[in-house]
């Protein structure tokens, strides 16, 4: 089973890129972020024509998350994280798909730091950690996939010394990420590429993609039963070089039907 995450940076404006990638890569399940489209403007017909069923949580001009599947319709179990009824941002959606619980997320950017946006990011991360603990306690096979807006280590960012004041590399944010992992989650991409420089995002400015001045901020975290089935993980880096593409590249993992390692 192939699961992917992709921050499309505008699902309608970059729909040709998304459809081209879906046809080329054929992931079974995809979590999308930054739809930047209200509920009624999600391109459901085009997604269906590509062979996928979808659920989505839209928002005009900002945010927005979706789960696509070609292995059975996603059965929605949650939209929005618990813990703050006043939070109206479209940043989390969850569904059962083909025997796996999939949580698709778009964690806040948090800049500028310090400030209210950074405080909101930390609160959102805390809510995610609380919800993730409940998911693990259920013993269900779970994947948390999306744009986490955090570079966990210096190995995940080009020239880390330039990012010391940024909310994506803040000590508090990186510590929150590892608090999440310490619950028992597996960072699938780093597990499969432990010593490799591998990025998922390249800014549009200063020829970042051409210079490979990137960041690793898109992650797929696996619960223990799924971690035992992990056999592959990769970034479709070339998609970032396509015309009118997102500043993120798709990231995918492959799961065996049964545990593959002890």
């Amino acid at each position: 089973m192939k699961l992917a995450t992709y921050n499309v940076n505008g699902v309608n404006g970059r729909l040709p890129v998304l459809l081209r990638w879906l046809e080329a890569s054929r992931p079974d399940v995809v979590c999308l972020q930054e739809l930047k489209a209200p509920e009624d403007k999600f391109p459901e017909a085009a997604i269906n024509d590509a062979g996928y069923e979808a659920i989505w949580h839209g928002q005009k001009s900002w945010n927005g998350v979706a789960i696509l599947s070609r292995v059975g319709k996603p059965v929605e179990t949650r939209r929005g994280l618990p813990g703050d009824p006043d939070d109206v941002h479209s940043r989390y959606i969850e569904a059962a798909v083909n025997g796996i619980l999939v949580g698709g997320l778009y964690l806040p950017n948090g800049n500028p730091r310090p400030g209210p946006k950074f405080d909101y990011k930390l609160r959102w991360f805390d809510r995610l950690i609380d919800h993730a603990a409940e998911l693990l306690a259920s013993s269900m096979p779970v994947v948390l996939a999306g744009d986490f807006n955090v570079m966990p280590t210096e190995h995940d960012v080009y020239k880390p010394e330039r990012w010391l004041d940024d909310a994506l590399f803040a000590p508090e944010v990186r510590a929150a990420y590892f608090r999440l992992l310490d619950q028992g989650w597996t960072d699938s991409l780093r597990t499969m590429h432990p010593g490799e420089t591998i990025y998922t995002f390249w800014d549009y400015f200063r020829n970042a993609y051409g210079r490979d001045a990137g960041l690793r901020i898109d992650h797929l975290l696996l619960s223990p039963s799924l971690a035992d089935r992990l056999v592959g993980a990769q970034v479709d880096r070339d998609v970032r070089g396509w015309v009118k593409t997102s500043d993120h590249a798709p990231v995918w993992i492959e799961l065996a039907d049964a545990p593959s390692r002890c």
Side-chain angles (χ1 to χ4, degrees):
M1 187 175 180
K2 188 175 184 180
L3 298 97
T5 182
Y6 188 17
N7 181 322
V8 291
N9 193 13
V11 69
N12 288 303
R14 305 194 197 281
L15 185 59
V17 171
L18 173 61
L19 296 177
R20 177 184 171 188
W21 170 70
L22 288 174
E23 182 178 7
S25 185
R26 299 304 291 168
D28 295 304
V29 178
V30 186
C31 293
L32 301 179
Q33 303 88 44
E34 274 203 273
L35 303 179
K36 296 181 177 179
E39 291 286 316
D40 61 342
K41 297 299 183 181
F42 183 81
E44 183 179 16
I47 296 297
N48 291 163
D49 288 345
Y52 290 83
E53 297 181 273
I55 60 171
W56 61 93
H57 184 20
Q59 184 173 345
K60 184 178 180 181
S61 302
W62 305 100
N63 307 320
V65 286
I67 299 175
L68 281 51
S69 170
R70 66 184 186 98
V71 290
K73 184 174 178 60
V75 178
E76 184 175 320
T77 56
R78 169 172 292 279
R79 60 175 50 207
L81 279 179
D84 185 356
D86 296 325
D87 184 2
V88 296
H89 287 196
S90 300
R91 294 186 176 274
Y92 187 82
I93 193 165
E94 186 180 285
V97 187
N98 197 32
I100 294 175
L101 193 64
V102 179
L105 64 97
Y106 176 44
L107 207 140
N109 177 286
N111 282 303
R113 166 181 175 256
K117 291 184 177 181
F118 185 66
D119 295 340
Y120 170 63
K121 177 173 189 161
L122 294 179
R123 291 195 305 272
W124 204 95
F125 220 144
D126 285 340
R127 290 163 55 204
L128 175 63
I129 290 169
D130 290 343
H131 184 57
E134 294 181 359
L135 293 177
L136 283 182
S138 74
S139 299
M140 294 182 294
V142 185
V143 56
L144 295 175
D147 178 357
F148 282 69
N149 269 320
V150 54
M151 298 91 78
T153 73
E154 292 187 354
H155 199 51
D156 299 311
V157 51
Y158 177 79
K159 294 191 175 180
E161 66 275 8
R162 296 185 178 181
W163 291 82
L164 297 177
D165 295 326
D166 195 278
L168 279 66
F169 201 51
E172 305 97 314
V173 174
R174 294 161 64 190
Y177 184 82
F178 284 104
R179 278 196 288 126
L180 180 60
L181 290 191
D182 286 345
Q183 292 179 339
W185 300 93
T186 292
D187 182 334
S188 53
L189 190 61
R190 184 52 70 203
T191 296
M192 298 303 294
H193 301 273
E196 186 176 339
T197 297
I198 186 165
Y199 301 135
T200 66
F201 168 92
W202 297 261
D203 206 312
Y204 289 125
F205 302 106
R206 298 178 295 279
N207 191 33
Y209 179 68
R211 295 186 296 115
D212 198 26
L215 313 173
R216 189 176 77 94
I217 58 177
D218 303 274
H219 310 300
L220 294 105
L221 306 187
L222 304 179
S223 65
S225 61
L226 288 186
D228 288 342
R229 294 167 51 186
L230 180 64
V231 293
Q234 194 54 265
V235 180
D236 284 342
R237 187 185 188 281
D238 61 312
V239 177
R240 176 60 181 84
W242 293 356
V243 175
K244 295 182 178 179
T245 193
S246 171
D247 41 9
H248 295 250
V251 186
W252 55 265
I253 62 171
E254 189 167 359
L255 301 177
D257 293 334
S260 59
R261 42 192 184 91
C262 300

